[in-house]
Amino acid sequence: MSRFVRASKYRHVFGNATKRDQCFDNLKVSRNAWDTNLVKANPLFISINIEASGGGAFAVIAHGNTGKLPENLPVYNGHTAAVLDTDFNPFNDHVVASASEDTKVMIWTIPQEGPKESISTPALTLTGHGRKVGHVLFHPTADNLLASASADFTVKLWDISKGQEKIELTGHTEIIQSLAWNYDGTLLATTCKDKKLRVFDVRSNKVVQEAAGHQGIKGARVAWMGNADRFCTTGFSRTSDRQVFIYDSKNLETPLKQETIDTASGMLMPHFDADTSMLYLAGKGDGNIRYYEWVDDEKGLYFLSEHKSAEPQRGISFLPKRAVAVNETEIARAYKVHPTAVEPISFKVPRKSDAFQSDLYPETLGAEPALTAQEFFDGKTAPPKLISLETGYSAAPAKEFVTSAPPPEAVTDKVPQTDKEYQEAYHNLRKENEDLKNQVSNRDARIRQLEAQIEGLSKK
């Protein structure tokens, strides 16, 4: 056996577990079965989906507010059904979007030090999906541009500065399982329950690439690999082996790399760090987080090591690179979801010198947008604006979120005169509205499914 060990500055990366008193403890984490990461992080806050009776809620917690949290933790509780996903605006640390089973997407503002009391009224409500909204994802270069994916088989792009739906992406025949933007936000990759992998040119609403993905019956995820024309997917084989595929986004016929991980049952949640070319894989229900290095050669994916823990994870999110502790040679920080807590895990490269390690920290994504949403929809493209971490990172002052969305239309119906009339009118209208919404959404979903199947047959 050869004793040669491939040289890599990331070979000895290790993950630091956090003591319980430095975690975000005493949380009622959502038990909803929908497949998302449950948690998101930005340089100032984390957001976590919360179990709530009679509606949906999520909490936003400042990084410094660790330890045992109060029972009456302030939450955002404007949704009428379970919150399924959240995402922070990458260009405004005090704006967060939420998606819910109530078919709505809501935009919320965050007070300077985090919420001190529960908030029920969003800054903006986006309606238009016919079924529950399972995913929200902000654009990587254009300000105030949000993508949302729904169980009505569509992805909608919103300009939240105007409160307008700009584009609807169609072509899926089943529930959309994950979304990922490419480096400059011109392409959007999706995985779907129909086991297809699709790449959309979002401004022309065209599927520019489509291929069969993982063939297992469980879900799949996708993550773009920085500024390369490649992305990775995680999923299952027909025999329920967990897999990782690396694709060239210009040719999806055959993966560049196929790796079988193991036979565990939990979904693999991928995160690719473009600055270090490291791929982190955290399995739902696993106690470990594996990490690999991607090198553009014949082998491609090199296993580095894993962070081991006896505590299984329900979800995970990574801190934006601009906010890591460069003075501690921290190259990544993950937020791991436990049943009642969120644990920060710091990944570090052991170095003796206290000087800035320029080889570990190339210029990374900054907090300034390269485009406005309108410029993007007008056809302009620009790469993300990068910043140096040599002098460390300090959060920008809070920016006020302003939207020109029109106010809701005034109600012109006759107001009931008595309590009994009011209750009867309310229940009748609510039942009628729910019946009509269900009929329309079911028909729309069926029409899209049939159209996609007809289009698929016409291509054969």
Side-chain angles (χ1 to χ4, degrees):
M1 180 183 292
S2 173
R3 294 190 177 185
F4 174 74
V5 177
R6 188 184 67 89
S8 171
K9 55 193 170 188
Y10 305 113
R11 173 165 294 281
H12 301 292
V13 168
F14 63 96
N16 265 343
T18 304
K19 295 180 180 179
R20 194 75 177 186
D21 60 355
Q22 295 175 324
C23 296
F24 304 91
D25 200 3
N26 196 33
L27 291 168
K28 297 177 181 177
V29 179
S30 173
R31 297 191 297 269
N32 193 283
W34 184 262
D35 180 32
T36 57
N37 288 354
L38 296 173
V39 65
K40 288 291 176 67
N42 77 2
L44 300 178
F45 308 101
I46 67 164
S47 67
I48 178 74
N49 299 358
I50 297 295
E51 190 71 20
S53 58
F58 68 98
V60 172
I61 309 169
H63 285 311
N65 192 16
T66 54
K68 187 174 182 179
L69 297 168
E71 294 289 340
N72 58 343
L73 180 71
V75 296
Y76 290 86
N77 55 7
H79 287 286
T80 57
V83 172
L84 301 180
D85 195 24
T86 59
D87 194 32
F88 288 104
N89 187 334
F91 310 119
N92 188 343
D93 291 336
H94 291 80
V95 171
V96 62
S98 60
S100 169
E101 286 187 349
D102 64 8
T103 75
K104 295 181 178 65
V105 175
M106 293 184 178
I107 310 299
W108 309 83
T109 56
I110 307 169
Q112 185 74 26
E113 303 298 329
K116 303 299 183 185
E117 58 184 8
S118 293
I119 299 174
S120 302
T121 305
L124 178 65
T125 300
L126 305 172
T127 59
H129 283 296
R131 290 183 174 179
K132 62 184 175 183
V133 185
H135 305 277
V136 281
L137 187 64
F138 276 98
H139 195 273
T141 63
D143 198 12
N144 292 322
L145 200 167
L146 179 71
S148 62
S150 167
D152 63 7
F153 310 154
T154 66
V155 177
K156 293 181 184 291
L157 303 186
W158 310 86
D159 181 350
I160 64 171
S161 65
K162 299 178 180 177
Q164 294 177 351
E165 176 190 331
K166 305 294 286 189
I167 292 175
E168 180 181 79
L169 305 180
T170 58
H172 299 94
T173 63
E174 289 287 351
I175 289 174
I176 301 156
Q177 296 172 328
S178 70
L179 308 171
W181 291 105
N182 72 336
Y183 188 67
D184 59 11
T186 54
L187 301 176
L188 183 72
T190 67
T191 56
C192 182
K193 193 177 178 181
D194 62 10
K195 304 176 186 179
K196 293 287 185 67
L197 181 63
R198 295 175 176 87
V199 178
F200 286 86
D201 181 335
V202 293
R203 286 179 288 204
S204 62
N205 193 6
K206 291 182 179 178
V207 180
V208 293
Q209 290 287 334
E210 180 177 324
H214 301 273
Q215 294 303 297
I217 61 173
K218 299 179 182 179
R221 296 282 191 93
V222 60
W224 216 282
M225 300 174 70
N227 60 359
D229 292 326
R230 296 184 176 88
F231 55 80
C232 72
T233 63
T234 60
F236 295 82
S237 69
R238 293 183 187 276
T239 56
S240 294
D241 295 328
R242 293 201 291 193
Q243 299 174 316
V244 177
F245 289 174
I246 309 292
Y247 286 93
D248 181 345
S249 64
K250 297 178 180 177
N251 181 8
L252 304 186
E253 289 186 9
T254 305
L256 298 174
K257 173 68 179 175
Q258 301 183 47
E259 185 95 5
T260 298
I261 304 300
D262 56 22
T263 58
S265 59
M267 164 64 62
L268 285 171
M269 299 172 285
H271 169 76
F272 186 79
D273 182 349
D275 296 343
T276 60
S277 294
M278 287 177 62
L279 174 65
Y280 297 83
L281 297 178
K284 285 197 173 185
D286 294 0
N288 62 336
I289 302 173
R290 299 176 175 87
Y291 37 101
Y292 299 76
E293 185 175 8
W294 170 257
V295 180
D296 199 1
D297 61 13
E298 291 184 2
K299 181 173 175 57
L301 208 57
Y302 291 88
F303 176 74
L304 293 172
S305 186
E306 60 184 330
H307 168 72
K308 296 182 179 180
S309 168
E311 297 289 334
Q313 58 225 356
R314 295 191 55 211
I316 199 165
S317 180
F318 281 77
L319 188 71
K321 195 60 172 286
R322 65 180 186 270
V324 299
V326 296
N327 59 325
E328 299 175 8
T329 59
E330 180 184 52
I331 59 168
R333 191 186 308 164
Y335 289 86
K336 171 181 173 179
V337 180
H338 298 260
T340 60
V342 176
E343 176 195 2
I345 300 173
S346 178
F347 292 91
K348 299 179 179 180
V349 176
R351 293 280 175 94
K352 293 182 179 179
S353 173
D354 293 334
F356 177 71
Q357 308 293 314
S358 58
D359 60 325
L360 300 181
Y361 301 105
E363 288 193 331
T364 192
L365 300 179
E368 288 295 323
L371 301 168
T372 65
Q374 191 57 51
E375 286 174 335
F376 176 80
F377 289 118
D378 287 343
K380 190 174 179 181
T381 300
K385 291 187 177 181
L386 305 179
I387 60 172
S388 171
L389 296 180
E390 185 168 1
T391 57
Y393 172 76
S394 57
K399 294 190 294 184
E400 183 182 1
F401 172 68
V402 178
T403 179
S404 60
E409 295 180 2
V411 177
T412 57
D413 293 341
K414 181 181 177 181
V415 178
Q417 299 299 314
T418 66
D419 288 345
K420 184 177 180 181
E421 289 178 355
Y422 177 82
Q423 291 176 5
E424 289 178 354
Y426 171 76
H427 290 298
N428 289 339
L429 286 173
R430 184 173 179 179
K431 185 177 184 302
E432 182 182 358
N433 185 48
E434 291 298 324
D435 290 344
L436 289 172
K437 281 173 61 178
N438 289 335
Q439 290 178 27
V440 171
S441 62
N442 287 336
R443 289 176 182 175
D444 285 348
R446 183 58 178 160
I447 289 169
R448 292 190 188 98
Q449 193 173 24
L450 292 172
E451 285 176 343
Q453 290 174 354
I454 291 170
E455 185 178 351
L457 291 172
S458 64
K459 291 179 180 179
K460 293 182 179 179

